[in-house]
Amino acid sequence: MNNKISTATRWSFLTQLLSKLLTPITNMILARILVPDVFGVIATITMITSFADLLTESGFQQYLIQKDFQNEEKIKECANIAFFINFCISSFLLILIFFNRFFLAKTFGDVSIASAIFVASLQLLITSVSSVQMTLFKRNLDFKPIFYSQTLSALVPLLITVPLAFFGFGYWSVIIGNLIGTILKAILLSFLSKYNLKFYFAYNEFKDMFSFSFFALLESLSSWLVNWSDTFFIGTLFSAYYLGLYKNSISMVNSLIAIITSAFLPILYSVLSRYQNDRKKYNYFLTDFHRFMAYMILPIGIGVLLFNEFCTVLLFGYKWIEASFVVGYWAFSTIIRTLFFSIFMEAFRSIGKPSICLDLQIFDFMIMFLIFILFGNVSFHNFVILRCLSRLVVIIPTLILLRKYCNLRVNRIFKNIIVPVIGCVLMVGVRLLFSVVSLNMINNFIIIIICAIVYLTVVIFIGRKDIVKLIHEFVL
């Protein structure tokens, strides 16, 4: 099992490294070609298509991964049912979007994007195939095919979207690139898979799948509300310029952080699902994973916060400098949220408690909605700060529930990551020490290197044996 975990981790990490690197590279180039208003339009269209895509998957992914099937034939049967239901729902939603495309476009204040909404929604039919195939690969901890497909789908937009944007196609360049990438991804996954999906339906099996996946679907819906409601509110309260400034900044930050988190979180869920009946192994793996992630992502969040202007210019160019505070605050809040919320959400799912995840997501949304209602008249800068703070409130009930259902105390969780925290505190000290220095691009780069050296020196000096153990557990 350990060898399988290590192999899966390596391929998953390579998958996210290449695919998630290609996505920011594409965005870095597009940010220098397209204006922020275009990214505001793209955010609006993506909000609609992501909601439809969420309904299409119906929550069956968790069922296919977590369920202990009697034999291989039962897996194929349930996979075919999931594919059939996904395809039917996606077809219905596509028809619904087509007939209501002008209404949707008008709702978001731009009738001219009606056709773009429909064309972007065509990918729903494609993901009904690829999502099931990818889930089956994840269940078997076989991340090699996912590596090929994700890399291909990320590379295609770079080769197609950027040239189209250069020749003035605006948001159409992004839509066309994403659509082609989705098609090629589905074709490759189907070719590499041993499962030939077909239309099949059995009521008893579907009933079992739906009852298992119902809370997962509700949780996904609540997660969508949390992740996309700010897009709706910012688009309503501010202009398309500020929406593009905000959404492109947080998308870039999320993409960069996801290079690491997306590589390992699928592994966490799959392994914890196998250990759910052995509490000792379960908690041991969860705390090791939590500490392993802290070593990697804590310095990233702190570093981007400390050098937000440098990171913004590097990622987007000088015309996006107004977004530097968005980049810094969002990176820091995302890292903290990942360590004390996202990781433990996977733990709750793995023990068959999706209702807990749903409750936490609803609580998270209520906090965010309250912020929007009470402070909708503040400036864009203050609004972003409040949004970032609202993302961290949900950590409190998460830690309380973690003790109840996983028997992990808060003091143990914080002691578990004390070494990377010490390293990050010293990084902050180094940054403050050089605060009197004129921070041009070269000086920023030098100070960043010094901070990195200080962090690595501290964690290696204090936790060298622990780091070696974690690398052997999760990488080698």
Side-chain angles (χ1 to χ4, degrees):
M1 183 66 173
N2 288 336
N3 290 334
K4 197 169 185 178
I5 293 172
S6 298
T7 302
T9 302
R10 286 197 296 271
W11 279 109
S12 181
F13 179 75
L14 283 175
T15 299
Q16 299 305 324
L17 179 63
L18 287 179
S19 63
K20 300 298 182 185
L21 272 177
L22 289 172
T23 299
I25 289 172
T26 303
N27 287 338
M28 288 170 65
I29 299 172
L30 290 175
R32 288 160 172 80
I33 300 174
L34 304 174
V35 295
D37 304 68
V38 172
F39 287 96
V41 173
I42 295 170
T44 299
I45 295 173
T46 306
M47 178 174 60
I48 297 171
T49 56
S50 65
F51 178 73
D53 196 43
L54 181 151
L55 293 177
T56 297
E57 293 183 356
S58 308
F60 291 146
Q61 289 190 6
Q62 291 188 26
Y63 179 87
L64 292 174
I65 291 177
Q66 190 171 350
K67 181 71 173 179
D68 287 327
F69 293 100
Q70 298 174 355
N71 50 55
E72 192 73 14
E73 287 301 317
K74 202 67 177 178
I75 297 176
K76 293 179 181 179
E77 184 177 292
C78 291
N80 287 329
I81 294 173
F83 167 58
F84 174 70
I85 298 299
N86 289 357
F87 186 84
C88 291
I89 294 175
S90 62
S91 299
F92 173 76
L93 290 175
L94 187 61
I95 294 171
L96 200 63
I97 289 173
F98 175 77
F99 285 108
N100 293 278
R101 63 192 187 281
F102 290 104
F103 171 76
L104 291 170
K106 186 178 180 180
T107 301
F108 294 100
D110 191 352
V111 181
S112 65
I113 66 173
S115 297
I117 291 174
F118 172 69
V119 174
S121 300
L122 291 174
Q123 63 182 308
L124 295 176
L125 294 175
I126 314 302
T127 54
S128 64
V129 180
S130 61
S131 64
V132 175
Q133 294 286 21
M134 186 173 294
T135 300
L136 293 172
F137 283 122
K138 288 180 180 178
R139 173 184 171 80
N140 297 323
L141 294 177
D142 185 5
F143 283 80
K144 188 175 180 179
I146 298 177
F147 164 76
Y148 294 132
S149 63
Q150 291 283 68
T151 302
L152 177 63
S153 64
L155 182 61
V156 170
L158 176 63
L159 300 177
I160 295 176
T161 301
V162 172
L164 289 176
F166 181 78
F167 287 110
F169 281 82
Y171 56 77
W172 279 106
S173 59
V174 178
I175 293 172
I176 295 171
N178 288 340
L179 187 58
I180 294 176
T182 303
I183 293 172
L184 293 177
K185 175 182 175 180
I187 293 173
L188 183 59
L189 281 173
S190 298
F191 177 77
L192 295 175
S193 177
K194 64 180 180 181
Y195 300 99
N196 296 318
L197 297 178
K198 59 183 180 181
F199 291 147
Y200 175 77
F201 183 80
Y203 177 76
N204 289 334
E205 285 75 9
F206 169 74
K207 183 179 178 181
D208 183 49
M209 293 172 66
F210 183 77
S211 62
F212 185 96
S213 305
F214 179 70
F215 279 106
L217 177 60
L218 290 180
E219 183 211 333
S220 297
L221 287 171
S222 61
S223 178
W224 181 90
L225 284 173
V226 171
N227 292 330
W228 286 99
S229 290
D230 54 354
T231 300
F232 175 78
F233 278 96
I234 290 177
T236 303
L237 298 173
F238 304 98
S239 64
Y241 170 81
Y242 285 109
L243 176 58
L245 210 66
Y246 173 80
K247 200 60 184 180
N248 197 40
S249 298
I250 68 173
S251 295
M252 176 67 81
V253 171
N254 290 340
S255 295
L256 292 174
I257 295 175
I259 293 174
I260 297 174
T261 58
S262 297
F264 296 104
L265 283 180
I267 304 295
L268 175 66
Y269 176 66
S270 297
V271 175
L272 289 182
S273 296
R274 299 296 178 268
Y275 288 158
Q276 60 181 300
N277 296 321
D278 189 331
R279 184 58 59 187
K280 183 177 180 180
K281 286 185 177 180
Y282 185 95
N283 286 348
Y284 182 84
F285 187 85
L286 179 58
T287 51
D288 275 3
F289 182 90
H290 186 246
R291 191 168 65 258
F292 178 67
M293 293 296 292
Y295 276 119
M296 292 190 293
I297 67 176
L298 259 182
I300 295 175
I302 299 294
V304 175
L305 179 64
L306 295 176
F307 301 94
N308 57 79
E309 291 189 0
F310 173 83
C311 293
T312 302
V313 173
L314 183 67
L315 295 173
F316 304 112
Y318 283 98
K319 70 178 181 180
W320 289 77
I321 193 66
E322 191 177 355
S324 59
F325 75 96
V326 182
V327 172
Y329 294 148
W330 191 267
F332 179 74
S333 64
T334 299
I335 292 301
I336 301 301
R337 186 179 167 94
T338 298
L339 283 176
F340 299 104
F341 176 66
S342 301
I343 288 177
F344 300 136
M345 288 283 278
E346 296 298 318
F348 293 138
R349 292 189 188 101
S350 68
I351 59 175
K353 297 290 183 181
S355 58
I356 296 177
C357 300
L358 174 61
D359 292 339
L360 289 172
Q361 292 282 12
I362 292 174
F363 175 80
D364 195 20
F365 173 74
M366 290 174 61
I367 295 296
M368 180 188 64
F369 185 77
L370 186 64
I371 293 292
F372 289 153
I373 295 300
L374 295 179
F375 302 99
N377 59 346
V378 299
S379 66
F380 176 68
H381 183 277
N382 291 335
F383 192 87
V384 172
I385 293 176
L386 289 170
R387 173 69 184 106
C388 291
L389 289 175
S390 72
R391 305 178 72 215
L392 305 181
V393 178
V394 73
I395 290 174
I396 298 173
T398 300
L399 295 179
I400 294 173
L401 290 170
L402 188 69
R403 178 179 179 180
K404 179 179 179 180
Y405 289 97
C406 298
N407 198 29
L408 285 176
R409 297 176 180 271
V410 174
N411 60 341
R412 180 182 175 184
I413 294 169
F414 283 98
K415 286 181 181 179
N416 190 50
I417 60 170
I418 189 65
V419 175
V421 168
I422 293 173
C424 288
V425 169
L426 292 179
M427 277 178 55
V428 175
V430 171
R431 176 65 178 85
L432 293 175
L433 186 64
F434 287 97
S435 60
V436 295
V437 178
S438 177
L439 296 181
N440 54 37
M441 292 295 286
I442 296 177
N443 288 342
N444 262 311
F445 185 73
I446 293 173
I447 297 173
I448 288 173
I449 298 236
I450 295 173
C451 286
I453 292 173
V454 168
Y455 176 79
L456 289 173
T457 301
V458 170
V459 298
I460 290 175
F461 180 77
I462 301 177
R464 180 168 57 89
K465 292 183 179 179
D466 185 46
I467 293 173
V468 171
K469 180 179 85 72
L470 293 176
I471 290 175
H472 277 284
E473 185 175 357
F474 294 105
V475 180
L476 299 180

